[in-house]
Amino acid sequence: MKNFPYILFILLSTCLATEQVFIEFTYIPQYGVTPAVLQGKVTGVIPSEYKIAVYIHYLSWWIKPYAASPLTNIADDGTWNCSITTGGNDEAADKLAAFLIPNGYTPPIALGWALLPEALYQNSLDYLVIARLQKNPAYDFDGDHKADIGIWDKTNSITSGIWLILKSGSNYHGYISVVKEPPGEASWIITPADFDGDSKADPGIYYKTGGHWYVLKSSQKYQSFFYFCVGNSDYIPVAGDYDGDGKADPCVYNKMGGHWYMLLSGTNYSLNYVGWGGEDCLPVPADYDGDGKCDVSVWQKSTGKWFILLSSQSNQQSWTKTWGAPGEAEFRPVPADFDADSKADLAVWNEQTGEWFVLLSKTNTVLRKTFGKGGSAYWIPVPADFDGDDHADIALWQKSTGVWFWLTSMSNYNTCMSQTWQAPGNSMYTPVVEMLYTRTAHSLASHQENTPEPLSPQPDASIESQATLPGDLEPLHLYLQPKIE
């Protein structure tokens, strides 16, 4: 019996040895916020035998929390936390790093170093380095850190292609009007995002016939535009910041084959391919792991499963979660960051009952609200951060009246705000906040009982040969008439 503790220790060590060593951030403080505590978790090791060394980058690298206290302890359950705002301007750190190091190793005391030494990486069992950029919320066209209300008039013979954005920064009194002249409404899809990195959303459109992208630059007061070419009539636009450089990348998804093609702005718009998805899968790209990069992700309609490729793990690992009743035609995915932890939360909206179900990544708890009874015949879900508190608000646009309604996160989703914008009941309008690529849920549902896992297909040769960098093709004629009031 005296040997029992020793035997138990050996068994425990053997079990841990078979588990993959992994370090992750479970909570990343918002840029510009102080005080701020970085939280994380490690798996695959005996916590008492290791420590965490945390560094932040603001102009150069600095160890945290202090030079005199450079090590962070790991709790028995593998969790750890470290204060990262213990000096001047720490809240403006644009990179965060954590290293899993064994007891007895002294980490480098970086105090304004240009680079972290190679020895630190070599002596670490695992490490994680992420970019933390100052980003405004999606659909913020005026740069006031609030999503703006806006519509796109898609077919009116007089104002065809006009964007009308009601500016929250002017208390909804001023507006931005940007006119385009698309040749035929059916072939165009709007794709607003911050393509030029100025923290303002840019009006963008995707022409399915030929895969042409046109984006008006807010940084140039809408007087010039980006032109890209990637995609065709079988692909839908899913723009996002896939490389973490603070600029949205043109990206397309093929719903039948599971093909993703993206032009990464951080590497001079080089063409990249990812095979992830399939016929029954809707694209739901967002930053689910909080590393500042958009994750290639799909939601499988027939099973209610989310399949997320983790960009923080170089797309070599994935995360799967069932959220949304399998096979239920009423559910529509509406992911957004509802708890302000820099990670998108899994969320679905029931089109028939108006119920919202949000799985909060920070606490692993459920936010449930009923908002929008009557379903998709009357409402379009438009979740976004309208009140500027870094939490997405539960929001809807009413088709028949043109009124926007949102439950403010500041009130714990109990106070409803509203704003009317443009003529009610105009079927030609499309809200610029809507995630259009989730609208095709019904047409993609196969409702098979045994639906296969998402595919990892081979690249589509037709796109490989067709993708074109900016300026390589003569763009279609666009009539630009910006107006700001």
Side-chain angles (χ1 to χ4, degrees), residues 34-115:
T34 185
V37 177
L38 178 66
Q39 299 176 22
K41 186 175 183 179
V42 297
T43 56
V45 298
I46 299 175
S48 61
E49 296 182 359
Y50 292 86
K51 296 288 191 293
I52 302 295
V54 175
Y55 298 84
I56 69 169
H57 184 275
Y58 172 70
L59 303 179
S60 51
W61 286 101
W62 306 81
I63 195 164
K64 291 296 164 184
Y66 303 100
S69 304
L71 298 175
T72 296
N73 292 323
I74 306 172
D76 291 341
D77 61 356
T79 60
W80 56 269
N81 62 80
C82 176
S83 176
I84 60 172
T85 51
T86 57
N89 298 315
D90 286 350
E91 68 276 7
D94 58 2
K95 294 179 184 178
L96 306 176
F99 295 80
L100 178 62
I101 58 177
N103 290 341
Y105 175 71
T106 301
I109 308 301
L111 297 174
W113 293 5
L115 297 171

Coordinates of all heavy atoms in Angstrom, one line a residue, residues 34-115:
T34 N -8.3 49.8 -19.5 CA -7.4 49.6 -18.3 C -8.3 49.7 -17.1 O -9.2 50.6 -17.1 CB -6.2 50.6 -18.3 OG1 -5.4 50.3 -17.2 CG2 -6.7 52.0 -18.3
P35 N -8.1 48.9 -16.0 CA -7.1 47.8 -16.0 C -7.6 46.7 -16.8 O -8.8 46.5 -17.2 CB -7.2 47.5 -14.5 CG -8.5 47.9 -14.0 CD -8.9 49.1 -14.8
A36 N -6.6 45.8 -17.2 CA -6.9 44.7 -18.1 C -6.2 43.4 -17.6 O -5.0 43.5 -17.3 CB -6.5 45.0 -19.5
V37 N -6.9 42.3 -17.6 CA -6.3 41.1 -17.1 C -6.5 40.1 -18.3 O -7.6 39.8 -18.7 CB -7.0 40.5 -15.9 CG1 -6.4 39.2 -15.5 CG2 -6.8 41.5 -14.7
L38 N -5.3 39.5 -18.7 CA -5.3 38.5 -19.8 C -5.6 37.2 -19.1 O -4.9 36.8 -18.1 CB -4.0 38.5 -20.5 CG -3.8 37.5 -21.6 CD1 -4.8 37.7 -22.8 CD2 -2.4 37.5 -22.1
Q39 N -6.5 36.4 -19.6 CA -6.8 35.1 -19.0 C -6.6 34.0 -20.0 O -6.7 34.1 -21.2 CB -8.2 35.0 -18.6 CG -8.6 36.1 -17.5 CD -10.0 36.1 -17.1 OE1 -10.7 35.1 -17.3 NE2 -10.5 37.2 -16.6
G40 N -6.1 32.8 -19.5 CA -5.9 31.7 -20.4 C -6.0 30.3 -19.7 O -6.3 30.3 -18.5
K41 N -5.6 29.3 -20.5 CA -5.7 27.9 -20.0 C -4.7 27.1 -20.7 O -4.4 27.3 -21.9 CB -7.1 27.4 -20.1 CG -7.3 26.0 -19.5 CD -8.8 25.5 -19.6 CE -9.0 24.2 -18.9 NZ -10.4 23.7 -18.9
V42 N -4.1 26.1 -20.0 CA -3.2 25.1 -20.6 C -3.7 23.7 -20.3 O -4.4 23.5 -19.3 CB -1.8 25.3 -20.0 CG1 -1.2 26.6 -20.3 CG2 -1.7 25.0 -18.5
T43 N -3.5 22.8 -21.2 CA -3.9 21.4 -21.1 C -2.7 20.6 -21.5 O -1.7 21.0 -22.2 CB -5.0 21.1 -22.0 OG1 -4.7 21.4 -23.4 CG2 -6.3 21.9 -21.7
G44 N -2.7 19.3 -21.0 CA -1.7 18.4 -21.4 C -0.4 18.4 -20.5 O 0.5 17.7 -20.8
V45 N -0.4 19.1 -19.4 CA 0.7 19.2 -18.5 C 0.2 19.1 -17.0 O -1.0 19.4 -16.8 CB 1.6 20.5 -18.7 CG1 2.1 20.5 -20.1 CG2 0.7 21.7 -18.4
I46 N 1.1 18.9 -16.1 CA 0.8 19.0 -14.7 C 1.1 20.4 -14.3 O 2.2 20.9 -14.4 CB 1.8 18.0 -13.9 CG1 1.5 16.6 -14.3 CG2 1.5 18.2 -12.4 CD1 2.5 15.6 -13.6
P47 N 0.0 21.2 -14.0 CA 0.1 22.6 -13.8 C 1.2 23.1 -12.8 O 1.9 24.1 -13.0 CB -1.3 23.0 -13.3 CG -2.2 22.0 -13.8 CD -1.4 20.7 -13.8
S48 N 1.4 22.3 -11.7 CA 2.4 22.7 -10.7 C 3.8 22.7 -11.2 O 4.7 23.2 -10.6 CB 2.3 21.8 -9.5 OG 2.5 20.5 -9.8
E49 N 4.1 22.0 -12.4 CA 5.4 21.9 -12.9 C 5.8 23.0 -13.9 O 6.9 23.0 -14.5 CB 5.6 20.5 -13.5 CG 5.5 19.4 -12.5 CD 5.7 18.0 -13.2 OE1 6.0 17.9 -14.4 OE2 5.7 17.0 -12.4
Y50 N 4.9 23.9 -14.2 CA 5.1 24.9 -15.2 C 4.6 26.3 -14.8 O 3.9 26.4 -13.8 CB 4.4 24.5 -16.5 CG 4.9 23.2 -17.2 CD1 4.5 22.0 -16.8 CD2 5.9 23.4 -18.1 CE1 5.1 20.8 -17.3 CE2 6.5 22.2 -18.7 CZ 6.0 21.0 -18.3 OH 6.6 19.9 -18.9
K51 N 5.1 27.3 -15.5 CA 4.7 28.7 -15.3 C 4.3 29.3 -16.7 O 4.7 28.7 -17.7 CB 5.8 29.5 -14.6 CG 6.2 29.0 -13.2 CD 5.1 29.4 -12.2 CE 5.6 29.2 -10.8 NZ 5.8 27.7 -10.4
I52 N 3.7 30.4 -16.6 CA 3.4 31.2 -17.8 C 4.3 32.5 -17.8 O 4.3 33.2 -16.8 CB 1.9 31.6 -17.9 CG1 1.1 30.3 -17.9 CG2 1.7 32.4 -19.2 CD1 1.3 29.4 -19.1
A53 N 4.9 32.8 -18.9 CA 5.6 34.0 -19.1 C 4.8 34.9 -20.1 O 4.6 34.4 -21.3 CB 7.0 33.8 -19.6
V54 N 4.3 36.0 -19.7 CA 3.5 36.9 -20.6 C 4.3 38.1 -21.0 O 5.0 38.8 -20.2 CB 2.2 37.3 -19.8 CG1 1.4 38.3 -20.6 CG2 1.4 36.1 -19.4
Y55 N 4.1 38.5 -22.3 CA 4.7 39.7 -22.8 C 3.6 40.5 -23.6 O 2.7 39.9 -24.2 CB 5.9 39.3 -23.8 CG 7.0 38.6 -23.1 CD1 6.9 37.2 -23.0 CD2 8.1 39.3 -22.7 CE1 8.0 36.5 -22.4 CE2 9.2 38.6 -22.1 CZ 9.1 37.2 -21.9 OH 10.1 36.5 -21.4
I56 N 3.8 41.8 -23.6 CA 3.0 42.6 -24.5 C 3.9 43.4 -25.4 O 5.1 43.7 -25.1 CB 2.0 43.6 -23.7 CG1 2.9 44.6 -22.9 CG2 1.2 42.8 -22.7 CD1 2.0 45.7 -22.4
H57 N 3.3 43.8 -26.5 CA 4.1 44.7 -27.5 C 3.4 46.0 -27.7 O 2.3 46.1 -28.2 CB 4.2 43.9 -28.8 CG 5.1 44.7 -29.8 ND1 4.6 45.7 -30.6 CD2 6.4 44.6 -30.1 CE1 5.5 46.1 -31.4 NE2 6.7 45.5 -31.1
Y58 N 4.1 47.0 -27.2 CA 3.7 48.4 -27.5 C 4.9 49.1 -27.9 O 5.8 49.5 -27.1 CB 3.0 49.1 -26.3 CG 2.8 50.6 -26.5 CD1 1.8 51.0 -27.4 CD2 3.6 51.6 -25.9 CE1 1.6 52.3 -27.7 CE2 3.4 52.9 -26.2 CZ 2.4 53.3 -27.1 OH 2.2 54.6 -27.3
L59 N 5.1 49.3 -29.2 CA 6.3 49.8 -29.8 C 7.5 48.9 -29.7 O 8.3 48.7 -30.6 CB 6.7 51.2 -29.2 CG 5.6 52.3 -29.3 CD1 6.1 53.6 -28.7 CD2 5.2 52.6 -30.8
S60 N 7.6 48.2 -28.6 CA 8.6 47.1 -28.3 C 8.0 46.1 -27.3 O 6.9 46.3 -26.8 CB 9.9 47.7 -27.8 OG 9.6 48.6 -26.7
W61 N 8.8 45.1 -27.0 CA 8.3 44.0 -26.1 C 8.6 44.3 -24.6 O 9.6 44.8 -24.3 CB 8.9 42.7 -26.5 CG 8.3 42.1 -27.8 CD1 8.9 42.1 -29.0 CD2 7.1 41.5 -27.9 NE1 8.1 41.5 -29.9 CE2 6.9 41.1 -29.3 CE3 6.0 41.1 -27.0 CZ2 5.8 40.4 -29.8 CZ3 4.9 40.5 -27.5 CH2 4.8 40.1 -28.9
W62 N 7.6 44.0 -23.8 CA 7.7 44.2 -22.3 C 7.1 43.0 -21.6 O 6.0 42.5 -22.0 CB 6.9 45.4 -21.9 CG 7.3 46.7 -22.7 CD1 6.8 47.1 -23.9 CD2 8.2 47.7 -22.2 NE1 7.4 48.2 -24.3 CE2 8.3 48.7 -23.3 CE3 8.9 47.9 -21.0 CZ2 9.1 49.8 -23.2 CZ3 9.7 49.0 -21.0 CH2 9.8 49.9 -22.0
I63 N 7.8 42.6 -20.6 CA 7.3 41.4 -19.8 C 6.3 41.9 -18.8 O 6.3 43.0 -18.3 CB 8.5 40.7 -19.0 CG1 8.1 39.3 -18.6 CG2 9.1 41.6 -17.9 CD1 9.2 38.4 -18.2
K64 N 5.3 41.0 -18.5 CA 4.2 41.3 -17.6 C 4.1 40.2 -16.5 O 4.4 39.0 -16.8 CB 2.9 41.5 -18.4 CG 3.0 42.8 -19.2 CD 3.0 44.0 -18.4 CE 3.4 45.3 -19.1 NZ 3.6 46.4 -18.2
P65 N 3.6 40.5 -15.3 CA 3.1 41.8 -14.9 C 4.2 42.8 -14.6 O 4.1 44.0 -14.8 CB 2.2 41.5 -13.7 CG 2.8 40.3 -13.1 CD 3.3 39.5 -14.3
Y66 N 5.3 42.3 -14.0 CA 6.4 43.2 -13.7 C 7.8 42.5 -13.9 O 7.8 41.3 -13.9 CB 6.4 43.6 -12.2 CG 5.1 44.3 -11.8 CD1 4.1 43.5 -11.2 CD2 4.8 45.6 -12.0 CE1 2.9 44.1 -10.8 CE2 3.6 46.2 -11.7 CZ 2.7 45.5 -11.0 OH 1.5 46.1 -10.7
A67 N 8.8 43.3 -14.1 CA 10.2 42.7 -14.2 C 10.6 42.0 -13.0 O 11.3 40.9 -13.0 CB 11.2 43.8 -14.5
A68 N 10.1 42.4 -11.8 CA 10.4 41.8 -10.5 C 9.6 40.5 -10.3 O 9.9 39.7 -9.4 CB 10.3 42.8 -9.4
S69 N 8.5 40.4 -11.0 CA 7.6 39.3 -10.9 C 7.2 38.8 -12.3 O 6.1 39.0 -12.8 CB 6.3 39.7 -10.1 OG 6.6 40.2 -8.9
P70 N 8.1 38.1 -13.0 CA 7.9 37.8 -14.4 C 7.1 36.5 -14.7 O 6.8 36.2 -15.8 CB 9.4 37.7 -14.9 CG 10.1 37.1 -13.7 CD 9.5 37.8 -12.5
L71 N 6.8 35.8 -13.6 CA 6.1 34.5 -13.8 C 4.7 34.5 -13.4 O 4.3 35.1 -12.3 CB 6.9 33.4 -13.1 CG 8.4 33.2 -13.5 CD1 9.0 32.1 -12.6 CD2 8.4 32.7 -14.9
T72 N 3.8 33.8 -14.1 CA 2.4 33.7 -13.8 C 2.1 32.2 -13.4 O 2.5 31.3 -14.2 CB 1.5 34.1 -14.9 OG1 1.8 35.5 -15.2 CG2 0.1 33.9 -14.6
N73 N 1.5 32.0 -12.2 CA 1.2 30.7 -11.8 C 0.0 30.1 -12.5 O -0.9 30.8 -13.0 CB 1.0 30.7 -10.3 CG 2.2 30.9 -9.5 OD1 3.3 30.5 -9.8 ND2 2.0 31.7 -8.4
I74 N 0.0 28.8 -12.6 CA -1.1 28.0 -13.2 C -1.9 27.3 -12.2 O -1.3 26.6 -11.3 CB -0.6 27.0 -14.3 CG1 0.3 27.7 -15.3 CG2 -1.7 26.3 -15.0 CD1 1.0 26.7 -16.2
A75 N -3.2 27.5 -12.2 CA -4.1 26.9 -11.2 C -4.2 25.4 -11.5 O -3.8 24.9 -12.5 CB -5.5 27.5 -11.2
D76 N -4.7 24.6 -10.5 CA -4.8 23.2 -10.6 C -5.6 22.8 -11.8 O -5.4 21.7 -12.4 CB -5.4 22.6 -9.4 CG -4.4 22.7 -8.2 OD1 -3.2 22.9 -8.4 OD2 -4.9 22.5 -7.0
D77 N -6.6 23.6 -12.2 CA -7.5 23.3 -13.4 C -6.9 23.8 -14.7 O -7.5 23.7 -15.7 CB -8.9 23.8 -13.2 CG -8.9 25.4 -13.1 OD1 -7.8 26.0 -13.1 OD2 -10.0 25.9 -13.0
G78 N -5.7 24.3 -14.7 CA -5.0 24.7 -15.9 C -5.2 26.2 -16.2 O -4.6 26.7 -17.2
T79 N -6.0 26.9 -15.5 CA -6.3 28.3 -15.8 C -5.2 29.2 -15.2 O -4.6 28.9 -14.3 CB -7.7 28.7 -15.3 OG1 -7.7 28.6 -13.9 CG2 -8.8 27.9 -15.9
W80 N -5.1 30.4 -15.8 CA -4.2 31.4 -15.4 C -4.6 32.7 -15.8 O -5.5 32.9 -16.7 CB -2.7 31.1 -15.9 CG -2.7 31.1 -17.4 CD1 -2.8 29.9 -18.2 CD2 -2.5 32.1 -18.3 NE1 -2.7 30.3 -19.6 CE2 -2.5 31.6 -19.6 CE3 -2.3 33.5 -18.2 CZ2 -2.4 32.4 -20.8 CZ3 -2.1 34.3 -19.3 CH2 -2.2 33.8 -20.6
N81 N -4.2 33.8 -15.1 CA -4.5 35.1 -15.4 C -3.3 36.0 -15.1 O -2.6 35.8 -14.1 CB -5.8 35.6 -14.8 CG -5.7 35.6 -13.3 OD1 -5.1 36.5 -12.7 ND2 -6.2 34.6 -12.6
C82 N -3.2 37.1 -15.9 CA -2.0 38.0 -15.7 C -2.5 39.4 -16.0 O -3.1 39.7 -17.0 CB -0.9 37.6 -16.6 SG 0.5 38.7 -16.6
S83 N -2.2 40.4 -15.1 CA -2.4 41.8 -15.4 C -1.5 42.3 -16.4 O -0.3 42.1 -16.3 CB -2.3 42.6 -14.1 OG -2.5 44.0 -14.3
I84 N -2.0 42.9 -17.5 CA -1.1 43.4 -18.5 C -1.1 44.9 -18.7 O -0.5 45.4 -19.6 CB -1.5 42.7 -19.9 CG1 -3.0 43.1 -20.2 CG2 -1.3 41.2 -19.9 CD1 -3.4 42.7 -21.6
T85 N -1.7 45.6 -17.7 CA -1.7 47.1 -17.8 C -1.1 47.6 -16.5 O -1.7 48.2 -15.7 CB -3.1 47.7 -18.0 OG1 -4.0 47.1 -17.0 CG2 -3.7 47.4 -19.4
T86 N 0.2 47.3 -16.4 CA 0.9 47.7 -15.1 C 1.9 48.8 -15.4 O 2.8 49.2 -14.6 CB 1.6 46.5 -14.5 OG1 2.5 45.9 -15.5 CG2 0.6 45.5 -14.1
G87 N 1.9 49.4 -16.6 CA 2.8 50.5 -17.0 C 2.2 51.5 -17.9 O 1.0 51.3 -18.3
G88 N 2.9 52.5 -18.3 CA 2.3 53.5 -19.2 C 2.0 53.0 -20.6 O 2.8 52.2 -21.2
N89 N 0.8 53.3 -21.1 CA 0.3 53.0 -22.5 C 0.2 51.5 -22.7 O 0.1 51.0 -23.9 CB 1.3 53.5 -23.5 CG 1.4 55.1 -23.5 OD1 0.4 55.7 -23.4 ND2 2.6 55.6 -23.5
D90 N 0.2 50.7 -21.6 CA 0.0 49.2 -21.8 C -1.3 48.9 -22.5 O -1.4 47.9 -23.2 CB 0.1 48.5 -20.5 CG 1.5 48.4 -20.0 OD1 2.4 48.8 -20.7 OD2 1.7 48.1 -18.8
E91 N -2.3 49.7 -22.3 CA -3.7 49.4 -22.9 C -3.6 49.5 -24.4 O -4.5 49.0 -25.1 CB -4.7 50.3 -22.3 CG -4.6 51.8 -22.7 CD -3.6 52.6 -21.8 OE1 -2.9 51.9 -21.0 OE2 -3.5 53.8 -22.0
A92 N -2.6 50.1 -24.9 CA -2.5 50.3 -26.4 C -1.6 49.2 -27.0 O -1.2 49.3 -28.2 CB -1.9 51.6 -26.7
A93 N -1.3 48.1 -26.3 CA -0.5 47.0 -26.8 C -1.2 46.4 -28.0 O -2.4 46.1 -28.0 CB -0.3 46.0 -25.7
D94 N -0.4 46.2 -29.1 CA -1.0 45.7 -30.3 C -0.6 44.2 -30.5 O -1.1 43.5 -31.4 CB -0.5 46.4 -31.5 CG 1.0 46.5 -31.7 OD1 1.7 45.8 -30.8 OD2 1.5 47.1 -32.6
K95 N 0.2 43.6 -29.6 CA 0.4 42.2 -29.6 C 0.5 41.6 -28.2 O 1.0 42.3 -27.3 CB 1.8 41.9 -30.3 CG 1.8 42.2 -31.8 CD 3.2 41.9 -32.4 CE 3.3 42.3 -33.9 NZ 4.6 42.1 -34.4
L96 N 0.0 40.4 -28.0 CA 0.1 39.7 -26.7 C 0.7 38.4 -26.9 O 0.4 37.7 -28.0 CB -1.3 39.5 -26.2 CG -2.2 40.8 -26.0 CD1 -3.6 40.4 -25.5 CD2 -1.6 41.8 -25.1
A97 N 1.6 37.9 -26.0 CA 2.3 36.7 -26.1 C 2.3 36.0 -24.8 O 2.4 36.6 -23.7 CB 3.7 36.9 -26.7
A98 N 2.1 34.6 -24.8 CA 2.2 33.8 -23.6 C 3.0 32.6 -23.9 O 2.8 31.9 -25.0 CB 0.8 33.5 -23.1
F99 N 3.9 32.2 -23.0 CA 4.8 31.1 -23.2 C 4.7 30.1 -22.0 O 4.7 30.5 -20.8 CB 6.3 31.5 -23.3 CG 6.6 32.4 -24.5 CD1 6.2 33.7 -24.5 CD2 7.1 31.8 -25.7 CE1 6.5 34.5 -25.6 CE2 7.4 32.6 -26.8 CZ 7.0 33.9 -26.8
L100 N 4.5 28.8 -22.3 CA 4.4 27.8 -21.3 C 5.9 27.3 -21.0 O 6.5 26.6 -21.9 CB 3.5 26.7 -21.7 CG 3.4 25.5 -20.8 CD1 2.8 25.9 -19.5 CD2 2.5 24.4 -21.5
I101 N 6.4 27.6 -19.8 CA 7.8 27.3 -19.5 C 7.9 26.4 -18.3 O 7.1 26.5 -17.4 CB 8.6 28.5 -19.3 CG1 8.1 29.4 -18.2 CG2 8.7 29.3 -20.6 CD1 8.9 30.6 -17.9
P102 N 8.9 25.5 -18.2 CA 9.1 24.6 -17.1 C 9.6 25.4 -15.9 O 10.3 26.4 -16.0 CB 10.0 23.6 -17.6 CG 10.9 24.3 -18.6 CD 9.9 25.2 -19.3
N103 N 9.3 24.9 -14.7 CA 9.9 25.4 -13.5 C 11.4 25.4 -13.6 O 12.0 24.4 -14.1 CB 9.4 24.6 -12.2 CG 8.0 24.8 -11.9 OD1 7.3 25.8 -12.4 ND2 7.4 23.9 -11.2
G104 N 12.0 26.4 -13.1 CA 13.5 26.5 -13.1 C 14.0 27.3 -14.3 O 15.2 27.7 -14.2
Y105 N 13.2 27.5 -15.3 CA 13.7 28.4 -16.4 C 13.3 29.8 -16.1 O 12.1 30.1 -15.8 CB 13.1 27.9 -17.7 CG 13.4 28.8 -18.9 CD1 14.7 28.8 -19.4 CD2 12.5 29.6 -19.5 CE1 15.0 29.7 -20.5 CE2 12.8 30.5 -20.5 CZ 14.1 30.5 -21.0 OH 14.4 31.3 -22.1
T106 N 14.2 30.7 -16.2 CA 14.0 32.1 -16.0 C 13.8 32.8 -17.4 O 14.7 32.8 -18.2 CB 15.2 32.8 -15.3 OG1 15.4 32.2 -14.1 CG2 14.9 34.3 -15.1
P107 N 12.6 33.4 -17.6 CA 12.3 34.0 -18.9 C 13.1 35.3 -19.1 O 13.4 35.9 -18.1 CB 10.8 34.2 -18.9 CG 10.5 34.4 -17.4 CD 11.4 33.5 -16.7
P108 N 13.3 35.7 -20.3 CA 14.0 36.9 -20.6 C 13.2 38.1 -20.0 O 12.0 38.2 -20.2 CB 14.1 37.0 -22.1 CG 14.0 35.6 -22.5 CD 13.1 34.9 -21.5
I109 N 13.8 39.0 -19.3 CA 13.2 40.2 -18.8 C 13.2 41.3 -19.8 O 14.1 42.2 -19.8 CB 13.8 40.7 -17.4 CG1 14.0 39.5 -16.5 CG2 13.0 41.8 -16.8 CD1 12.7 38.8 -16.1
A110 N 12.2 41.2 -20.7 CA 12.2 42.2 -21.8 C 11.6 43.5 -21.3 O 10.5 43.6 -20.8 CB 11.3 41.6 -22.9
L111 N 12.4 44.5 -21.5 CA 12.0 45.9 -21.1 C 12.3 46.8 -22.3 O 13.4 47.5 -22.4 CB 12.7 46.4 -19.9 CG 12.5 45.6 -18.6 CD1 13.3 46.0 -17.5 CD2 11.0 45.7 -18.2
G112 N 11.4 46.8 -23.3 CA 11.6 47.6 -24.5 C 12.5 46.9 -25.5 O 13.2 47.6 -26.3
W113 N 12.4 45.6 -25.7 CA 13.2 44.9 -26.7 C 12.5 44.9 -28.0 O 11.2 44.8 -28.1 CB 13.4 43.4 -26.2 CG 14.3 43.3 -25.0 CD1 14.8 44.3 -24.2 CD2 14.7 42.1 -24.4 NE1 15.5 43.9 -23.2 CE2 15.5 42.5 -23.2 CE3 14.5 40.8 -24.7 CZ2 16.1 41.5 -22.4 CZ3 15.1 39.8 -23.8 CH2 15.9 40.2 -22.7
A114 N 13.2 44.9 -29.1 CA 12.7 44.9 -30.4 C 12.1 43.5 -30.8 O 11.1 43.4 -31.4 CB 13.7 45.3 -31.4
L115 N 12.8 42.5 -30.3 CA 12.4 41.1 -30.5 C 12.5 40.3 -29.3 O 13.3 40.5 -28.4 CB 13.3 40.5 -31.6 CG 13.3 41.1 -33.0 CD1 14.4 40.5 -33.9 CD2 11.9 40.9 -33.7

